[in-house]
Structure formats: structure tokens, C-alpha cells
Amino acid sequence: MTPSPAVGSVGQTPPEPIELRGVNVVDTRTGKISARQDVGIADGRIVSMANTGASPLLGGTTRIDVQGKFLVPGFIDMHVHALNAADPSDALALMLANGITGFRQMSGTTKLLADRKAGVLNLPEASPALLALCGDMLSPVNSATPESATAAIAGQMVHGADFIKIAAAGVEQFAAAQAEAKRLGIPLAGHLPIGIDPVVASKSGIHSIEHLGPGIVMIAACSTDEEAIRAQLTATPEIARPSVNLPFIDSIFDAILKRIVINPVRRTTPESARLLQHAIDTFSLEKARTLADVFIQNGTWHCLTLIRQLTSEQADLPRFRGDPNLRYVSNAAQRNWRKATADFAKFPPETKSTLKQEYELQLELAKLFDDAGVKMTAGTDSTGAGWVIPGFALHAEFDELDSAGFAPLRVLQLATLNGAEFLDATDSLGTVAVGKLADLVLLDANPLENVQNLHTISGVIRGGRYYSSGDLDSLKRRVEASRNIE
């Protein structure tokens, strides 16, 4: 997959050349640190890197003293919905302020694809780069039948989609979409229908599985009673589009989907909770390792979004309602999130216990997959998901990966190098080296010593433009004043 070009505001002035003086450069491939380096940046790229004082300062270059800081590639959020907002500038600003310099947009539209193709997708200057874009998500709205699913894929390819996103599809529609995407040579990413076997999906060529399934799918595949569980899941319907073609039915159904997206776990029934508990109780490490081998053999990627699972499966944790970063979120969104959480709070204790066990098992699966060598990236599912706040959510993801036992270097790699590899863009992203794009993050502390040090952002370079800690604080204050995050 080739990343989309970074796009910014029409007519924005190019940044002046800068030199980061005396910085410690972190190699995301090896974990080696090159101490006290002078890093030259011009025309949006890294043009030089040498021991401090070894090279003369070029004329017109602004020197920035960053001695003692640590330089890493900019973070890549590989699961974002920011561009679906009427005005995405605030979400994008929060992402940049939190060190995110690139993202994969997981729900596009024909208009977004057309605007990008025409060169008029004018993201604000203070924005991460759009690295990959799909068209409209394949769902019961546009893919109610296998035939409509395949037609939708062909249409998106005409408009230049980088990949196809699928969610809430039935097994037949999913299989048809997967076959068509494979035939046309375009990556398919998204959710697995609850009735499908991840082994089949992997062998059939799905490029990226999002959210570890989501739900029961991955855990069922690791159960010693998988066959019986799968039979029950196959009989469970996915979200279906109403068969009556009423006026505005697509808009109505789209609104229903948006409500579900806030927290899909709200749809848990006593029966589905009991089946999930059975899958958890019969979980087999041996089967999980076999599944990991299948993903490795077929090159199947996973975008984990652990923070999305946590905010869904343990939605009533007090820390979510008390998050100080809610000051950036609109009152309307907060009301919707609290309403979804109130619904979650009505679950009986045994259902909540099952969902908590599910999350703990997902942490275990994530670490098991990583140890085995399954390819993975970091993502958040912002915006639209309850309690998932753009920018800050990726740092929450770092903490969840830490809780799962990921080493600091692995967390950094998932957020940088792995995203670049997924996008087939390691020639320009993912490492700090001469010739690479100057999309970078400055940290106050060594990120290889502790995952918490990834939070110590003191500056961001995006497209060669330097944002100091003061600049980043100004971006946050602007968003706080508007409270436009949905």
C-alpha cells in the first residue's frame, strides 16, 4: 500500500531550515541511541545528521538547542475517523499536539476521495499527514448483498481508494468482498463477522484485522470448543439493513450505526454474554499460538486499538468520566457517551465480569501475538467512539500496551516503524535518518527506559515545521475554547 501524499493548506509558506542541536537520536529498528547529534532539516526532510559541532551551520538555518532531548519518528495512528467530522481541524490539532504526525483514515467518502484526487483536500497546516484513505465503509448500508459489496469495491477503486474498509457485514458479504478485493489487488481491512473463522479470513487474504476481531471472534478461534461456539455464532445475525426501502433509509441507518459505534458492547445480550464466557473458559494457549502462526504465514496485520476495547468493555470505569481531557469534547458528545455508559452500567454483575475477563484476555492475546511475530500497528478508533479522545487516546494506547507487557521499544515500534512498514513507506517514515520526511517528535526522557517517557513531548516537527511545547499548548487551548470534538 502506498501512502497518500501529505496534504496541507493551499498556499502555506514552506518552513525555514532548522537544526536540532545536540539531540539524542533513537533508532527504532535496533534501539540504539546516537547521543549528541545535530540534525539538519530543510524542505520537509532530514538533510544531515552528525555529531554536535562536526558540521558548519548552513546560512539561513535556525538553530534549536535540544540537548538532553530524545528524537523519535512522529507517531502514526493507524485507526482514525477524524475526517468524518464536519470540521476536523480540532481533532487533527489535538493529534498533532500529542505527537501524531500521520494517520490512516478508516472511514472515507466518495467526496473525500474526489477532493484528494483533485488536490483540494485542504487539511489545516497544524495537522498530521493523511497517509491512507478508503471510501465509504462497506456495511449493510451499501453492501446488503454479496453483489452490492463487490460493486462498491469497484466503485471505490475508480475514485482512488488506498484500501477497502468493511464492518458489520454478514459472512456472505464479507467473503464476496474479500474475494473481489483480492482479485482487484486492493487491501481489505476491517471487522470480522462474528460467524467467520479468522483462519479462513487470513488465508483468504485480509490485509488488516481491526480491534482483535472485534468481540468474541478471536477468542472463539482459540477455544477448545470452537466448533460448537462457531455454530452458534453463525446463526447469530449481523446488523441488517431494513428490507423496506423507505425514504431516507440510508441516512436513518447511518445514524443508527453512529449510535452503535459509541459503544458496540451495549448490544450484549444475556445469551451472547454466556457464550463469550464459555469461549473464555475454554481458551487454549496452544490454539492461540497456532492462530498466531496462521497470521504470520499469511502476512495478516492487526491494528490493536486496545484503548477502544477498554472504553467499550469497561465503559463505566470512573477514570473515563473524570478524564480532564474531556474539556476538549463537545457537550453533545459527552451526553451521548454518558448515556451509552448508563446503558452499560445496567448490565448484571456477571456480564460485567465476563467483559472484564474478555479485555484481560485480549491483553494476553496481544502480547502472545507480538511475541510470536504477528505484524501489528497502534491505533485508537478516534473520533466517534465513547471516551476515546483524539491524540490523547494514542498515549492511552501506549499505557495499555505497557500493561500487556510490551517492552518500551516495541511500543515505540508499533507507533512508528510498523505503521511505515504497513504503508510500504519505510523509505520516508518510521526511522530518523537522512532523506526521511521530517515528521518527528522530541521527548524529554528516554522512551526506551519506560513507556511513560513517550508522554514527555517537548516538541513536534511536522513537514519540517517546528512546533515548540508552547506552540503545542496553544493548539490545545484553541481546541479547548471551541470544544468541538465529537
Side-chain angles (χ1 to χ4, degrees):
M1 181 187 300
T2 302
S4 307
V7 282
S9 300
V10 170
Q12 72 180 54
T13 56
E16 296 180 357
I18 61 174
E19 182 184 69
L20 304 176
R21 189 80 167 174
V23 72
N24 301 308
V25 176
V26 179
D27 187 332
T28 51
R29 292 190 184 277
T30 66
K32 178 184 175 183
I33 294 178
S34 299
R36 295 178 56 79
Q37 299 291 297
D38 292 345
V39 178
I41 295 170
D43 298 323
R45 290 190 178 269
I46 300 171
V47 295
S48 65
M49 190 163 67
N51 292 333
T52 294
S55 301
L57 191 66
L58 298 176
T61 300
T62 299
R63 175 183 292 174
I64 303 171
D65 187 357
V66 288
Q67 293 189 57
K69 309 292 186 185
F70 293 81
L71 187 66
V72 299
F75 304 143
I76 301 173
D77 191 332
M78 288 294 289
H79 195 119
V80 175
H81 296 272
L83 299 187
N84 295 123
D87 179 5
S89 59
D90 282 357
L92 295 171
L94 280 188
M95 290 164 65
L96 187 70
N98 281 278
I100 298 169
T101 59
F103 67 100
R104 179 175 60 142
Q105 172 71 20
M106 293 301 294
S107 49
T109 63
T110 300
K111 185 179 187 311
L112 284 172
L113 289 171
D115 286 350
R116 185 184 64 169
K117 191 173 184 178
V120 295
L121 185 61
N122 301 319
L123 303 188
E125 181 178 278
S127 169
L130 171 62
L131 300 176
L133 176 66
C134 60
D136 293 292
M137 179 180 73
L138 300 192
S139 72
V141 172
N142 60 6
S143 302
T145 65
E147 294 76 18
S148 58
T150 56
I153 291 174
Q156 290 192 27
M157 288 196 68
V158 168
H159 290 95
D162 298 312
F163 67 100
I164 303 298
K165 165 72 181 297
I166 188 165
V171 172
E172 290 183 0
Q173 292 90 327
F174 182 89
Q178 192 161 14
E180 183 69 358
K182 186 175 183 179
R183 185 182 73 83
L184 295 175
I186 187 168
L188 181 74
H191 304 191
L192 299 181
I194 60 174
I196 200 164
D197 182 351
V199 170
V200 173
S202 177
K203 290 181 176 179
S204 298
I206 188 168
H207 186 57
S208 176
I209 297 173
E210 312 296 310
H211 322 300
L212 282 171
I216 191 175
V217 178
M218 210 65 61
I219 297 173
C222 301
S223 167
T224 55
D225 197 24
E226 178 185 6
E227 186 175 342
I229 294 173
R230 185 82 57 209
Q232 293 187 58
L233 292 175
T234 303
T236 303
E238 297 283 344
I239 303 170
R241 183 181 185 277
S243 57
V244 180
N245 193 19
L246 300 172
F248 311 113
I249 191 65
D250 288 348
S251 297
I252 294 170
F253 193 73
D254 188 52
I256 293 171
L257 283 178
K258 287 180 179 178
R259 180 178 178 276
I260 291 172
V261 161
I262 293 173
N263 188 351
V265 169
R266 277 195 291 181
R267 302 174 65 234
T268 302
T269 64
E271 294 76 17
S272 64
R274 283 192 291 271
L275 189 61
L276 175 59
Q277 185 65 61
H278 179 55
I280 293 170
D281 292 340
T282 55
F283 178 82
S284 163
L285 280 174
E286 182 181 354
K287 290 203 68 177
R289 292 189 184 102
T290 299
L291 182 59
D293 289 340
V294 170
F295 293 143
I296 294 166
Q297 291 166 10
N298 296 299
T300 305
W301 286 81
H302 283 262
C303 186
L304 294 173
T305 68
L306 296 174
I307 187 59
R308 168 55 152 158
Q309 278 81 276
L310 179 65
T311 54
S312 298
E313 294 158 12
Q314 298 183 47
D316 58 352
L317 286 175
R319 77 191 218 210
F320 297 143
R321 295 191 301 274
D323 189 342
N325 295 317
L326 287 172
R327 65 184 184 272
Y328 302 108
V329 179
S330 73
N331 289 331
Q334 290 193 51
R335 283 194 298 271
N336 290 335
W337 294 1
R338 291 192 172 96
K339 172 62 169 63
T341 301
D343 292 342
F344 179 93
K346 295 174 184 176
F347 284 147
E350 57 270 22
T351 295
K352 289 186 181 181
S353 173
T354 295
L355 293 170
K356 185 173 185 293
Q357 292 173 62
E358 177 186 21
Y359 184 68
E360 292 168 349
L361 192 51
Q362 287 168 330
L363 291 180
E364 185 177 347
L365 260 180
K367 184 62 166 64
L368 185 152
F369 285 174
D370 186 60
D371 288 345
V374 175
K375 296 183 176 184
M376 292 188 289
T377 58
T380 62
D381 209 13
S382 65
T383 58
W387 309 123
V388 179
I389 303 171
F392 298 99
L394 189 62
H395 289 266
E397 184 75 1
F398 296 160
D399 292 341
E400 295 310 307
L401 290 166
D402 187 30
S403 297
F406 283 64
L409 176 60
R410 289 298 296 136
V411 176
L412 178 60
Q413 288 171 335
L414 261 65
T416 56
L417 181 62
N418 286 25
E421 182 183 347
F422 179 98
L423 296 163
D424 194 23
T426 53
D427 60 338
S428 58
L429 299 170
T431 54
V432 181
V434 173
K436 300 293 181 75
L437 291 174
D439 288 349
L440 307 163
V441 174
L442 283 163
L443 302 170
D444 285 332
N446 187 347
L448 305 184
E449 291 181 351
N450 194 312
V451 170
Q452 297 307 304
N453 293 341
L454 287 170
H455 306 324
T456 64
I457 295 174
S458 63
V460 173
I461 298 94
R462 164 70 186 102
R465 192 178 304 276
Y466 175 66
Y467 294 85
S468 68
S469 58
D471 296 329
L472 302 179
D473 287 341
S474 294
L475 287 176
K476 294 175 186 176
R477 286 195 296 271
R478 189 198 81 195
V479 179
E480 184 178 2
S482 65
R483 295 190 66 178
N484 193 36
I485 300 297
E486 294 293 332

